[in-house]
Amino acid sequence: MTTTDRRSALRAGAGLAAAGALSAACSATGADAHRVPPAVRTPGPPRAPAAHAVRRAPAPRRFPGQPVQIEHGPRTRPRVALTFHGQGDPAVARALLGEAERAGARVTVLAVGTWLDEHPEPARRILDGGHDLGNHALAVNTLSEADADAEIRGCADRLRRLTGSIGTWFRPSRAPRATPLVERLARRAGYPHVLSYDVDPLDFTSPGAAVRRGIGAAAGPGSVVSLHFGYADTVAALPAVLDDLDRRGLRAVTTTELLS
């Protein structure tokens, strides 16, 4: 090949390379080629957070060897589950969660469906903190089958819309145990177990320091403690309760961890 021929071939190759680069640039930008340059584009309003930003809640699971209605976990391990009726002022809920997390504790929240309607943001806060989130159907033990079923499924649907799951646990309100009918309806809705408890300091009566004494006197390895979000006495007592548990070598964990 002559020198002239080699130069012609190199120029042709360079032209092909440039064309290829231009083609790649166009395919990368696509419709962006016709957009207003960023320097003169008017910024739009801030976008709302995506609906999927809420952390997905774990699904309910069956624990082999455990009864349908669980009152406590294994007595051989130094763990305790603090479980909360999820209702009331969200600021109180945030304060309780913050106190628990400062002590390295994790809790279980059984949320009331109407509370989730009014205050959907705590669902994100609970899950992001590494806590369990479940279904707390109101007064279902006293309802007809149709009404109890609607209450359980209604709360489950709210949880699913907010988190992608019906929640990890189910507990009826205003009773330590579910009736056989409610137990059956809960299982039909997708909950293999009903979460009961073996320690109740009656914090909903606002007993002051008796919240701490009630837990300290009754809680032991494997205990499930019934508490409530909406009461100032509970917030005030929680740091001391966690200190007491720690001194006794007991760690506050989620109910899932208690049973795992």
Side-chain angles (χ1 to χ4, degrees), residues 23-193:
S23 175
C26 291
S27 63
T29 56
D32 285 347
H34 301 286
R35 291 181 181 175
V36 179
V40 298
R41 189 183 306 156
T42 302
R47 293 182 180 180
H52 62 269
V54 177
R55 177 179 171 186
R56 184 181 178 88
R61 54 182 282 198
R62 186 179 303 279
F63 289 88
Q66 290 290 341
V68 173
Q69 300 211 44
I70 297 174
E71 293 183 357
H72 61 80
R75 298 299 194 186
T76 56
R77 289 183 289 180
R79 299 174 179 177
V80 172
L82 303 180
T83 67
F84 289 85
H85 171 116
Q87 197 174 25
D89 185 351
V92 176
R94 289 192 293 271
L96 277 164
L97 294 172
E99 290 291 351
E101 290 160 11
R102 274 188 285 277
R106 295 296 178 267
V107 303
T108 299
V109 180
L110 293 311
V112 174
T114 52
W115 185 64
L116 292 171
D117 282 343
E118 296 168 4
H119 308 289
E121 67 282 358
R124 178 199 299 267
R125 175 67 182 84
I126 291 162
L127 293 175
D128 285 349
H131 310 284
D132 275 358
L133 177 63
N135 178 333
H136 200 39
L138 284 175
V140 285
N141 279 358
T142 64
L143 300 178
S144 68
E145 179 172 353
D147 288 344
D149 186 60
E151 182 70 28
I152 293 168
R153 291 182 183 275
C155 187
D157 288 343
R158 292 176 178 98
L159 286 165
R160 185 186 291 109
R161 287 196 300 271
L162 286 171
T163 70
S165 166
I166 64 172
T168 316
W169 296 100
F170 166 79
R171 174 185 287 169
S173 71
R174 303 177 189 173
R177 294 181 63 85
T179 63
L181 170 62
V182 169
E183 178 186 302
R184 186 169 69 252
L185 294 175
R187 294 181 74 178
R188 187 191 303 169
Y191 301 98
H193 300 281

Side-chain angles (χ1 to χ4, degrees), residues 230-255:
Y231 297 89
D233 286 357
T234 308
V235 180
L238 189 61
V241 166
L242 294 170
D243 284 345
D244 290 345
L245 293 174
D246 185 61
R247 280 194 295 271
R248 296 170 59 197
L250 298 172
R251 188 160 63 96
V253 299
T254 66
T255 307

